[in-house]
Amino acid sequence: QVLLVESGGGSVQSGGSLRLSCAPSSPGSPVYSMAFFRRTPGNGREGVAALRRDRRTKIADSVKGRFAVSPGDAKNTLSLYLQMNNLKPEDTGIYYCAADSRALAEELLLRDAAYRFWGQGTQVTVSS
């Protein structure tokens, strides 16, 4: 079992920026693939951005050009930063970090069913 710690949520005005982070709670946790998903009002859980330990990334079309994912600073494991720029009210929701020990195929990186470990979620609110 891998426990994930998320941080960085909050409230901003439209056009603002936030950076979310996610890391395993234990150094050396066996994580190879990580992603952020979000649940927005009226919608199901949507994959936003993903990163593998080999630095392969995948970004959802809905946020491409505004969101970027990069590796974090955790030692001997994978951690994740999600930089969110030019935020819009429709980006409001709960953002969840997900991780798995496997090198997920690219077509699975934004599929929630592919991930075995999940964080508690952090709220992002964008006001107009």
Side-chain angles (χ1 to χ4, degrees), residues 6-67:
E6 302 150 324
S7 62
S11 297
V12 294
Q13 291 192 319
S14 183
S17 297
L18 284 173
R19 189 173 77 161
L20 305 184
S21 66
C22 177
S25 61
S26 299
S29 293
V31 172
Y32 198 95
S33 305
M34 292 187 87
F36 271 100
F37 291 78
R38 67 183 181 186
R39 192 182 298 277
T40 55
N43 295 312
R45 192 157 57 187
E46 172 194 19
V48 175
L51 173 72
R52 286 191 330 212
R53 206 159 176 175
D54 61 1
R55 303 300 186 254
R56 178 66 61 95
T57 61
K58 191 174 182 73
I59 308 291
D61 289 342
S62 58
V63 301
K64 203 165 285 185
R66 300 188 296 121
F67 290 15

Side-chain angles (χ1 to χ4, degrees), residues 13-127:
Q13 291 192 319
S14 183
S17 297
L18 284 173
R19 189 173 77 161
L20 305 184
S21 66
C22 177
S25 61
S26 299
S29 293
V31 172
Y32 198 95
S33 305
M34 292 187 87
F36 271 100
F37 291 78
R38 67 183 181 186
R39 192 182 298 277
T40 55
N43 295 312
R45 192 157 57 187
E46 172 194 19
V48 175
L51 173 72
R52 286 191 330 212
R53 206 159 176 175
D54 61 1
R55 303 300 186 254
R56 178 66 61 95
T57 61
K58 191 174 182 73
I59 308 291
D61 289 342
S62 58
V63 301
K64 203 165 285 185
R66 300 188 296 121
F67 290 15
V69 65
S70 60
D73 305 317
K75 303 299 182 187
N76 301 318
T77 186
L78 182 63
S79 58
L80 201 61
Y81 289 121
L82 179 67
Q83 179 67 41
M84 304 185 293
N85 298 324
N86 191 20
L87 283 160
K88 304 176 181 180
E90 53 263 42
D91 294 318
T92 294
I94 301 175
Y95 284 67
Y96 298 91
C97 178
D100 201 274
S101 57
R102 299 165 296 177
L104 296 177
E106 185 168 351
E107 60 266 27
L108 297 179
L109 283 174
L110 295 182
R111 298 269 188 92
D112 57 358
Y115 291 87
R116 290 179 288 178
F117 311 120
W118 289 85
Q120 301 273 2
T122 185
Q123 177 71 41
V124 170
T125 303
V126 185
S127 57

